[in-house]
Amino acid sequence: MPAPPNRALPRWSLRRARLLVGSKLALVAGLVVFVGLAWLVERLLGLDGPVRLSPALALVVAGVPASLWLAFFYLQDRHEPEPMHFVAGVFLLGGLVAAPIADFVIYQLAPPVPFAQHGLTPFTLDRIVHAVLVVGLGQELCKYVAVRYTIYTSPEFDEPMDGVVYMMAVGTGFAVWINYHRLQGQGGSVYLSTGAAQVVVTTPAHASFAGWLGYVLGRAKFTRRRALSRGVLLFFGLLGAAVLNGQFALVEQRVTTSGFGTHAWRGVLYAAAVAVAVFAVLMLLVQRLLAESPFRKPEVAAAAGKAVGSDDDDDDDDDDDPDVDDAPVGDGASDRGGGEGAR
């Protein structure tokens, strides 16, 4: 029996893999450089105390980490990347529509209460309820609505992975609004390096909370279960995102009341640990969605078919190769137009 041919990965696959690895390294390097530059500016200019940021500078500080994270999230959808202008549009919806509406609704439902009224501890029952069921639920619901009633109904939303991509995009835009107004709202009490670090942490946190809801949203749209089951799934997905958001909000409150000059870095590190944990779990879910993507198997089969096109024992090799799917390469899920026919 002849030895099976050596099936190397196609060049496009290797380029995509290098791009993904490079994007992760570039993201980490960019975020470290961003915080490092803020710290260096403090040292060079002798900024030992808090500073007042102009609106333009505050927007830059809030926007640079968001652009890095958004590029990273976009590259995760490697089987069938979404149109860039759609992702950018959803990002703008998060920052210019969802976040302002969430702020207005939350303030109307329950205006913020000073800590002095209920003591200094942020973990009283009323504050936990406010953080989860008012702030967390209000913010995540507005993110959900921004995607559900726009791109969700588009033919471009054609696999579960798209729920994660678009919800993380709206969450990233949402974080820009929050970070900008926090930097501006603190007046002259912003320590530059600490503020930069908090922006770096807050951005993936809000994106990951929304990404979890996007995972549930994508699953619910393409499941064969009844409408009631999909509704229950979405409810628990929204509630889970609200809990994640709420506990993170309590940490942010603790950092604010402790003062940026005394315990700020301790609060930032704790918030970073929470953000990293949620982000890591979400990336595991993303890998699962990518493995189940309807756009994955036809591409692998086509690549394998090209690799063995000159082999006389084509049928035998296909039976032994687990990467070659029995379905025809021209299945409806292999392109945008076919995706619409399959639905």
Side-chain angles (χ1 to χ4, degrees):
M1 181 177 177
N6 182 18
R7 298 179 182 179
L9 287 173
R11 292 182 62 186
W12 61 264
S13 180
L14 291 175
R15 286 197 300 268
R16 187 70 182 178
R18 294 192 187 103
L19 182 61
L20 288 172
V21 173
S23 70
K24 295 177 182 179
L25 295 177
L27 171 68
V28 174
L31 295 176
V32 171
V33 169
F34 177 74
V35 178
L37 284 176
W39 177 84
L40 186 61
V41 168
E42 282 186 335
R43 302 284 78 78
L44 292 178
L45 300 182
L47 303 176
D48 296 328
V51 297
R52 182 180 297 275
L53 300 180
S54 66
L57 185 55
L59 184 60
V60 170
V61 173
V64 170
S67 63
L68 293 174
W69 282 112
L70 186 64
F72 176 80
F73 300 147
Y74 178 79
L75 290 173
Q76 298 310 300
D77 190 11
R78 57 179 177 266
H79 294 312
E80 195 218 15
E82 299 305 303
M84 288 187 179
H85 62 283
F86 277 22
V87 177
V90 172
F91 168 82
L92 293 176
L93 281 177
L96 301 179
V97 177
I101 292 177
D103 280 357
F104 175 79
V105 171
I106 291 170
Y107 186 83
Q108 294 301 317
L109 289 177
V113 180
F115 274 125
Q117 183 169 336
H118 295 293
L120 294 178
T121 176
F123 301 111
T124 57
L125 179 60
D126 58 338
R127 291 197 174 278
I128 293 175
V129 171
H130 179 270
V132 174
L133 297 182
V134 177
V135 177
L137 188 60
Q139 291 184 351
E140 298 308 319
L141 183 59
C142 288
K143 296 176 190 176
Y144 166 79
V145 170
V147 172
R148 175 61 180 83
Y149 295 100
T150 56
I151 191 64
Y152 181 88
T153 60
S154 168
E156 294 294 343
F157 198 116
D158 49 15
E159 63 170 319
M161 180 64 193
D162 293 347
V164 177
V165 173
Y166 288 117
M167 284 300 298
M168 293 191 85
V170 78
T172 305
F174 199 101
V176 173
W177 170 276
I178 288 179
N179 287 323
Y180 172 80
H181 285 274
R182 182 173 60 186
L183 293 172
Q184 284 290 284
Q186 290 168 354
S189 61
V190 178
Y191 284 79
L192 193 57
S193 59
T194 306
Q198 285 185 321
V199 168
V200 168
V201 170
T202 302
T203 302
H206 275 279
S208 297
F209 305 153
W212 156 252
L213 182 54
Y215 173 82
V216 176
L217 179 64
R219 287 290 193 188
K221 179 174 183 178
F222 294 98
T223 186
R224 295 182 179 179
R225 297 178 181 177
R226 293 179 296 179
L228 178 61
S229 298
R230 293 196 299 269
V232 171
L233 182 63
L234 284 173
F235 171 77
F236 283 105
L238 181 61
L239 185 60
V243 171
L244 292 172
N245 187 315
Q247 61 83 27
F248 190 82
L250 289 177
V251 175
E252 286 191 320
Q253 288 181 0
R254 181 61 180 268
V255 171
T256 302
T257 55
S258 296
F260 285 98
T262 305
H263 303 295
W265 283 106
R266 185 176 65 185
V268 168
L269 291 175
Y270 179 81
V274 174
V276 168
V278 177
F279 183 76
V281 173
L282 182 62
M283 287 299 101
L284 293 177
L285 296 176
V286 164
Q287 295 305 315
R288 181 177 178 180
L289 289 179
L290 290 174
E292 300 172 356
S293 173
F295 298 95
R296 176 176 181 269
K297 290 184 179 180
E299 291 180 357
V300 174
K306 292 179 181 179
V308 298
S310 60
D311 195 333
D312 293 333
D313 298 326
D314 208 85
D315 294 335
D316 293 338
D317 290 336
D318 285 350
D319 292 338
D320 295 335
D321 191 344
D323 287 338
V324 180
D325 192 71
D326 292 335
V329 175
D331 184 53
S334 61
D335 53 49
R336 286 287 182 182
E340 294 181 32
R343 290 191 300 276

